Amino acid sequence: MTFDTWHRHSCLWIAANGIHFEVATLGTGDRLALLLHGFPEHPISWRHQMPLLAGLGYRVWAPSLRGYGGTDSPREVSAYRMKVLVEDVASLIRASGARETLLMGHDWGGALAWALAMRQPALVNRLVVCNLPHPACFLREIRRPAQLARSWYMLAFQLPILPEAILGFRQGRVAAGLIRRTSCDPSRFPDDVIEVYRRNAARPGGLTAMLNWYRALFRGGLGRTFPKIGIPTLLLWGDHDVFLGIRTTHGTEDYVADLTFRVLPGVSHWVQQEAPEAVNAMLEAWLTGAPVPD
């Protein structure tokens, strides 16, 4: 899906969990593919996967999550607690009326996908997570110096005002440029896509809403109980992620009964945008029962 094609997709407004979501959509049918973006992103991060999934017979929904895009952006930090964010996803699935759901998340969207699969597994038939470790594995690694050093920004985001000032500098260009600067292949992030990210960050109150996800996390935590996930799960990982070391993936099989794990060498945190051909080939094979490429 090119940038121009992206702007010709349909958009829905869905009421769920007490707020209104802006949802990019493609395809039809009663099999839902719900795609959850990360920070500081936007549904356009799924521009390469949406046509594939629609072609496989899914009705694809890629919402702007709470605090992003045209979706409501409550001001209070408590509105971004983990249990609220997870209920957003559950409510969207219920609102879709779909008979089955493929849930796919990247970064923060991956955290919500893991959490929903543990807390309300009846809502999810298949799970795909891109460059976000299972929370139990992350909590283990964050206690070690290597991952703690990579996660310094999560501590910095707890400060008031200053993170908004830095990321919002030059009308959001710092926040948007972060994606390109931490990628391994900047050519995969053309100016028109970066401009969508910039506008998203430059919305009045937008950066505060986006940062409140991190602030609420520190006040509410990830929890300490992790029911084993029985849902078929595909974990895709770019091994040049500057934010999350590959050690955070070790031991995932202890928490997921039916796990397919693939590493994409030389690919950054922004895996589905930077290596869409490889990601899509793995995703299609996994969904159709073919051998998943290494």
Side-chain angles (χ1 to χ4, degrees), residues 38-73:
F39 172 92
E41 294 180 289
H42 175 277
I44 201 171
S45 65
W46 299 111
R47 61 195 177 278
H48 301 295
Q49 287 70 48
M50 290 179 71
L52 168 70
L53 292 168
L56 291 174
Y58 286 94
R59 175 174 24 128
V60 186
W61 281 12
S64 290
L65 295 174
R66 178 182 291 247
Y68 286 80
T71 294
D72 293 345
S73 301

Side-chain angles (χ1 to χ4, degrees), residues 86-183:
V86 173
E87 185 55 35
D88 284 349
V89 181
S91 296
L92 283 167
I93 292 172
R94 295 189 191 102
S96 76
R99 65 175 174 86
E100 65 176 71
T101 299
L102 163 67
L103 184 61
M104 185 169 184
H106 169 254
D107 186 76
W108 256 110
L112 301 189
W114 283 125
L116 186 67
M118 286 186 284
R119 298 180 187 185
Q120 300 189 57
L123 291 176
V124 183
N125 299 91
R126 284 178 172 265
L127 177 67
V128 183
V129 178
C130 301
N131 275 74
L132 199 289
H134 187 283
C137 300
F138 178 74
L139 287 172
R140 181 196 68 224
E141 291 301 318
I142 194 68
R143 298 185 180 97
R144 296 174 172 168
Q147 184 54 51
L148 185 60
R150 290 174 182 261
S151 300
W152 67 270
Y153 63 93
M154 297 176 69
L155 298 172
F157 286 172
Q158 305 309 307
L159 296 171
I161 302 173
L162 185 61
E164 284 92 333
I166 294 172
L167 292 171
F169 186 65
R170 298 182 63 225
Q171 294 78 48
R173 286 181 174 82
V174 170
L178 171 72
I179 297 171
R180 186 183 275 164
R181 289 193 303 274
T182 56
S183 72

